Amino acid sequence: MRFFLGTNGPGGFFSYFDHLIDYASAKDVTIIKGGPGCGKSTYMNIIDDALGGGGEYIYCSSDPKSLDAVIYPDAGVAVVDGTAPHVYEPVYPGVTDTYANLGIYTNRAELGGKRGEAERLKSGAAACYAMAARWVAAARLIDDTAFDKIVDGHILTRAAKRAKALCGAEIPVRKRAAVPPVKRFLSSITPDGHIALFDTVSEHFERVIALDDNYGIAGHCLKIIVKHASGSGYKVYACYSPLRPDSGIEHALIPELGLAFVTNSRTLPYAGEATRHIRLDALIPREKLRGSRAYLRFLIQTRGAFIAEAVEQLKTAHGYHAKLEEIYNPYIDFGTIRAMAKAKAEELKVWF
């Protein structure tokens, strides 16, 4: 399954890396440290290939083609990029957690002459990330404006009834200890656009219930669904919205039941085949939508422009980072790093 653990949100980078793995069952967590372009993603790919794949793959919101972590929950094993902006430090140093310091395989003597250029590129990228956050915050404001215009307490009460009915029909109640939800992002605003890793749903879940929603009602339903499922002892992946990363649940996945609830909207339509559609938009009185049609069209267009500006800033930031990696690459001992990764993979096989 593929997820993000961080996102470019309205307040800057937002991280759920503290939800990387359940330490109650963790056996080995390898934390990679190192500079740009030093082989962190390569190190993870080599280990994953050696272990035969099948893990949870965490991708970088600033470069969706690059890995931030690989997690094997059943084995209690994880390998994670622990460098900024998602700094990760040991929970139980030397017991479950170890470092893989790739930085020591950098030729500092020769790299030192590139300091001025490296500082310029890092500064440029930081400015772009800050500007991207402002555009995302503006888009969130548009969402809040549309929600306040269209949705009222009566609609939310009806939506809550729908959510409770779904829980009763789809999620059997069990007398088991509650399991805290596992927090992830299934979507993120990236240099490649506002994207969702919906293949995680279509490839791994037999039943998919799509919540058709364009005005933010689904998040209120999903809070009820996640609370019910986790309270009955099911492991639930609560996937948050990049525009509301601290509170807005966008999708909920329950592997034990093969069941996924996904928000299906005009901005991020679910392209897979849904078992069932719940038309939350139908809870809104038609006359209310008709009376606000021109205003809502304006909000939709404005929101799209704001997200597009955020994406452009992230593209520019990614360009700066790519150039920074080009500076570092010639001074990295990749041969030794590959050998380290292969040795670590052999060490980890004991847990599989």
Side-chain angles (χ1 to χ4, degrees):
M1 295 195 292
R2 301 196 302 151
F3 297 101
F4 299 101
L5 265 175
T7 190
N8 299 293
F13 184 76
F14 188 98
S15 169
Y16 277 125
F17 272 75
D18 57 336
H19 281 251
L20 175 77
I21 193 169
D22 179 5
Y23 268 87
S25 57
K27 303 296 192 304
D28 191 298
V29 177
T30 303
I31 303 167
I32 309 171
K33 298 289 186 177
C38 74
K40 297 186 292 292
S41 192
T42 298
Y43 183 94
M44 283 184 267
N45 278 310
I46 290 171
I47 288 176
D48 185 59
D49 287 344
L51 296 178
E56 289 179 21
Y57 301 93
I58 305 299
Y59 286 85
C60 175
S61 60
S62 296
D63 180 6
K65 299 175 184 66
S66 179
L67 281 173
D68 269 349
V70 184
I71 309 157
Y72 308 91
D74 292 342
V77 169
V79 186
V80 57
D81 176 354
T83 56
H86 40 78
V87 174
Y88 195 93
E89 295 297 343
V91 175
Y92 302 117
V95 179
T96 55
D97 303 315
T98 58
Y99 284 119
N101 183 4
L102 306 190
I104 62 175
Y105 303 107
T106 302
N107 188 330
R108 293 186 62 197
E110 295 187 25
L111 184 61
K114 305 290 184 177
R115 175 171 177 167
E117 191 174 357
E119 288 178 346
R120 179 184 65 81
L121 292 169
K122 282 184 68 68
S123 177
C128 290
Y129 286 128
M131 186 59 71
R134 294 176 187 174
W135 288 116
V136 175
R140 173 172 170 165
L141 181 60
I142 294 292
D143 282 352
D144 291 345
T145 301
F147 180 86
D148 292 342
K149 180 72 175 176
I150 295 299
V151 182
D152 56 30
H154 177 65
I155 292 170
L156 292 181
T157 298
R158 293 178 66 195
K161 288 180 180 178
R162 290 281 181 92
K164 290 173 183 176
L166 279 172
C167 290
E170 303 290 347
I171 308 171
V173 176
R174 305 189 303 192
K175 292 184 178 180
R176 293 193 183 181
V179 176
V182 180
K183 296 183 179 181
R184 298 282 190 266
F185 294 101
L186 199 59
S187 70
S188 187
I189 299 168
T190 78
D192 294 344
H194 186 183
I195 64 173
L197 303 176
F198 279 137
D199 57 316
T200 292
V201 176
S202 60
E203 293 177 7
H204 297 279
F205 293 85
E206 297 81 27
R207 292 186 295 148
V208 180
I209 296 178
L211 305 178
D212 299 339
D213 168 47
N214 288 303
Y215 300 103
I217 301 172
H220 293 265
C221 294
L222 287 166
K223 283 183 181 180
I224 294 169
I225 290 168
V226 168
K227 183 177 180 180
H228 173 85
S230 62
S232 292
Y234 295 101
K235 179 180 180 179
V236 184
Y237 288 92
C239 302
Y240 285 74
S241 164
L243 273 74
R244 198 175 294 277
D246 55 341
S247 60
I249 301 176
E250 193 173 43
H251 315 285
L253 316 179
I254 311 172
E256 188 177 344
L257 298 176
L259 176 62
F261 296 87
V262 298
T263 298
N264 178 46
S265 68
R266 69 171 68 89
T267 54
L268 275 180
Y270 177 65
E273 184 175 342
T275 310
R276 183 181 176 189
H277 283 267
I278 306 298
R279 294 183 60 241
L280 296 179
D281 283 352
L283 298 176
I284 304 168
R286 291 182 181 179
E287 60 272 16
K288 197 168 191 178
L289 289 173
R290 278 197 299 266
S292 304
R293 189 170 296 160
Y295 184 56
L296 291 173
R297 189 181 304 116
F298 163 74
L299 292 180
I300 291 166
Q301 291 172 347
T302 305
R303 182 194 191 277
F306 289 168
I307 293 294
E309 286 296 330
V311 170
E312 284 303 311
Q313 291 296 324
L314 293 173
K315 282 183 181 177
T316 305
H318 181 259
Y320 281 124
H321 189 75
K323 290 178 181 177
L324 194 59
E325 289 186 338
E326 289 175 6
I327 290 175
Y328 275 76
N329 278 164
Y331 307 106
I332 307 295
D333 182 356
F334 285 103
T336 300
I337 289 171
R338 290 189 183 96
M340 280 180 60
K342 291 176 183 177
K344 183 64 185 183
E346 290 302 314
E347 181 186 326
L348 292 174
K349 286 180 180 179
V350 68
W351 305 115
F352 288 80

